[in-house]
Amino acid sequence: MRIFPYTKVYMACPANVHTGGVELCHQIVNQLLQFGVDAYMFYLPTNPYAFNSDNPVDKFYAKYHLPYVLKIEDNPYNVLILFEACGGFYSEYKQVQKIFYWMSVDVYIGKLVQLTSAYQDNPLIAPMPRFFYFNDDETEHWVQSEYARQFLKLNGVPDKRIYVVEDYLNQAFLSRAANIDISKKENIIAFNPMKGLEITKRLVELAPDMKWIPIKNMTPEQVQGLLASAKVYIDFGNHPGKDRIPREAAISGCVVITGKRGSAANDVDINIPAEFKFGETAADLPLVIEKIRDVFDNFESNHAKQNDYRARILDDKNRFAQEVAAAFSLTPQKKIFAAVAQGFSQQGVMLTNILNQTHPELFPSFMIDDRFCFETNINPNEFIKTIHNTNYFKFKKSGGVLQIMIISLKDAQFLYLEGRLNKFILLNPTAEELEIMNKIFHPAPEDLIAINLK
């Protein structure tokens, strides 16, 4: 896809929704901003009952602090990325360059069934709704999985219009998972009751003596706690793409056992040995139980057999950045995103002035301040401005006003792990301040910058 210095890239996304696909939408814009691309979330009212035009950002993704729009500039220099959940909006935009992002082949098929089923009894009930199909030679395609790539090839999309752009696990999840002690694992089988439940029920009936725990009505922290304790995670669902929970389970030290549907059928998306993938016939299910008992009895050797799977998951973020860069013909070079660590204070404002005059390359994108980040009753003044429910420090300089986003300490930790905040700057820091910064962020030495003035 060709982009220009003045190109705006829009990632279409359902508003006020929390799913794995929606998180990937935010990862895309987050990565493009790191490359210096003018990128935006484009929130769509796919569910009018849940749509909040005043704040379309689901609370789970507010920590990304991404710019967003509710309307796009439909011109041939801009780019619109849509995925299956937004496919019904495909034909509304005529001039913008389009990318169709295949996150879930099965969701696409389900949408087609949903759109056409109402016409079975009466084809003349109304005009057929429009939806993306494969007859557009100008659209480029991104695939999140090998399964989706095979689907596009089967439907005649040429290789030159297909780009692999995968995704990655939340870096905070990976950071916590790194501290899991697999020697303390228990004989527990974790499973997602939303995926392949009928098969799971039959397995439970075959081995009622085993401890089966569903991932249900749990917070993200509780899910991670379960996966940290379990020896086995099973998934006999349809695997519509590279699902997250199997990867979260693997990186939490579980031995992953799957069926052979969807993306589980190939050895790219779930690259575990064939001995951990099973059919679903009556003859296959006792073999699954036999394998689980083998994992319980010989955990270390079975765990080692999935080292390649875990290694690929740990490299997902680096590969994702390279894939996004390749899809847009960009040089994968990160922009500096610095933060004033001393907040909206006399020291913080003074530091911003100094950076503007002597270190413009380090001029801050963020200011870390819990009070002024969360304060909602700030009277309009010459220093603070609220835009899209976010507070900004208005920095006046010759030629205009720059707006520096004020973020919380917790969000700063998240953005540093994600790579969108990569420098912390302090003015005349005390030894205590530096110790606190190192304890909270564990920054690389080059990422913690002290400006010392006498």
Side-chain angles (χ1 to χ4, degrees):
M1 179 63 68
R2 188 181 181 191
I3 62 174
F4 307 90
Y6 42 83
T7 293
K8 294 180 179 179
V9 177
Y10 303 101
M11 180 71 238
C13 179
N16 307 115
V17 172
H18 178 187
T19 67
V22 168
E23 181 159 21
L24 177 49
C25 293
H26 290 78
Q27 289 176 337
I28 288 290
V29 173
N30 193 51
Q31 184 62 65
L32 288 171
L33 291 172
Q34 290 180 48
F35 288 150
V37 175
D38 192 13
Y40 302 84
M41 295 299 299
F42 172 33
Y43 289 115
L44 293 166
T46 53
N47 182 350
Y49 300 102
F51 180 58
N52 178 1
S53 59
D54 292 329
N55 187 10
V57 186
D58 183 87
K59 64 181 181 180
F60 186 81
Y61 307 114
K63 61 191 175 187
Y64 281 94
H65 293 282
L66 302 175
Y68 72 82
V69 297
L70 300 179
K71 292 180 65 177
I72 72 169
E73 296 174 23
D74 189 8
N75 67 56
Y77 303 108
N78 293 338
V79 177
L80 174 61
I81 308 171
L82 302 108
F83 72 114
E84 297 94 344
C86 305
F89 294 88
Y90 182 85
S91 62
E92 291 189 17
Y93 306 97
K94 308 298 183 184
Q95 300 185 63
V96 70
Q97 301 177 85
K98 294 172 189 170
I99 296 169
F100 202 91
Y101 197 175
W102 296 87
M103 298 183 192
S104 171
V105 170
D106 295 35
V107 167
Y108 169 80
I109 299 297
K111 282 282 186 182
L112 289 182
V113 172
Q114 181 183 13
L115 289 170
T116 56
S117 60
Y119 294 83
Q120 289 180 334
D121 294 332
N122 183 4
L124 302 180
I125 189 172
M128 289 284 288
R130 294 187 177 185
F131 197 71
F132 173 77
Y133 202 60
F134 302 95
N135 57 352
D136 185 342
D137 293 333
E138 296 182 358
T139 297
E140 287 191 358
H141 300 260
W142 288 5
V143 292
Q144 182 257 8
S145 64
E146 169 64 13
Y147 175 50
R149 192 193 70 80
Q150 292 175 2
F151 175 74
L152 294 186
K153 290 288 292 177
L154 182 66
N155 283 279
V157 179
D159 285 333
K160 66 180 181 180
R161 286 179 29 225
I162 301 174
Y163 291 86
V164 176
V165 179
E166 299 167 81
D167 65 350
Y168 60 91
L169 295 184
N170 183 296
Q171 298 302 288
F173 185 99
L174 293 180
S175 181
R176 294 190 297 269
N179 298 315
I180 292 172
D181 183 352
I182 64 169
S183 70
K184 295 181 179 178
K185 289 275 188 176
E186 302 173 40
N187 289 346
I188 294 172
I189 306 121
F191 66 94
N192 181 358
M194 302 299 291
K195 301 287 183 74
L197 184 57
E198 287 305 312
I199 301 298
T200 303
K201 286 180 177 178
R202 289 161 62 190
L203 290 170
V204 172
E205 289 171 0
L206 287 173
D209 58 306
M210 291 182 175
K211 192 172 183 180
W212 306 79
I213 300 182
I215 299 173
K216 184 178 182 181
N217 299 325
M218 293 182 178
T219 65
E221 291 74 23
Q222 289 171 329
V223 172
Q224 190 160 24
L226 170 60
L227 296 176
S229 299
K231 283 186 179 177
V232 173
Y233 171 79
I234 64 166
D235 193 327
F236 284 84
N238 57 336
H239 295 275
K242 275 180 58 179
D243 284 358
R244 286 175 182 263
I245 295 184
R247 286 180 284 160
E248 291 178 346
I251 218 67
S252 298
C254 296
V255 171
V256 174
I257 294 175
T258 72
K260 296 181 179 180
R261 285 193 274 168
S263 65
N266 68 71
D267 58 4
V268 175
D269 294 329
I270 301 182
N271 58 316
I272 57 178
E275 66 184 275
F276 298 99
K277 295 184 179 183
F278 295 87
E280 300 175 5
T281 68
D284 291 315
L285 299 190
L287 300 177
V288 177
I289 299 300
E290 183 180 323
K291 188 62 185 178
I292 293 173
R293 294 193 189 280
D294 178 50
V295 173
F296 284 175
D297 294 338
N298 304 285
F299 180 69
E300 288 188 10
S301 60
N302 280 288
H303 181 268
K305 290 177 182 178
Q306 298 193 355
N307 283 344
D308 288 347
Y309 184 39
R310 288 187 294 275
R312 181 175 172 82
I313 295 166
L314 289 172
D315 190 49
D316 277 348
K317 191 172 190 303
N318 291 330
R319 198 168 57 255
F320 174 80
Q322 294 166 4
E323 289 166 349
V324 172
F328 280 116
S329 300
L330 297 169
T331 301
Q333 205 168 18
K334 287 188 177 181
K335 177 182 174 182
I336 291 179
F337 287 90
V340 170
Q342 289 154 319
F344 182 56
S345 61
Q346 183 177 2
Q347 209 167 4
V349 173
M350 187 184 303
L351 176 57
T352 306
N353 266 300
I354 292 169
L355 294 173
N356 178 53
Q357 295 170 17
T358 62
H359 297 77
E361 76 283 1
L362 293 176
F363 192 81
S365 302
F366 305 104
M367 185 171 272
I368 304 172
D369 191 312
D370 275 355
R371 180 194 167 193
F372 285 97
C373 169
F374 295 113
E375 180 65 59
T376 57
N377 296 315
I378 299 175
N379 292 324
N381 60 55
E382 59 178 326
F383 298 114
I384 301 291
K385 182 177 183 180
T386 302
I387 305 172
H388 286 170
N389 303 292
T390 299
N391 292 334
Y392 292 81
F393 165 47
K394 295 189 297 182
F395 178 77
K396 294 182 179 179
K397 60 176 292 185
S398 57
V401 175
L402 296 177
Q403 295 172 160
I404 301 170
M405 187 182 295
I406 304 174
I407 62 174
S408 69
L409 185 66
K410 184 177 181 180
D411 287 358
Q413 289 174 295
F414 172 78
L415 290 177
Y416 183 62
L417 285 172
E418 287 291 309
R420 190 150 137 253
L421 196 172
N422 42 46
K423 302 290 180 186
F424 301 97
I425 312 176
L426 300 93
L427 177 64
N428 295 329
T430 64
E432 182 182 10
E433 283 180 311
L434 292 175
E435 183 181 353
I436 291 172
M437 290 295 295
N438 280 302
K439 185 176 181 180
I440 293 173
F441 294 102
H442 308 288
E446 65 271 17
D447 294 343
L448 189 56
I449 301 172
I451 305 292
N452 294 298
L453 299 179
K454 294 182 179 180

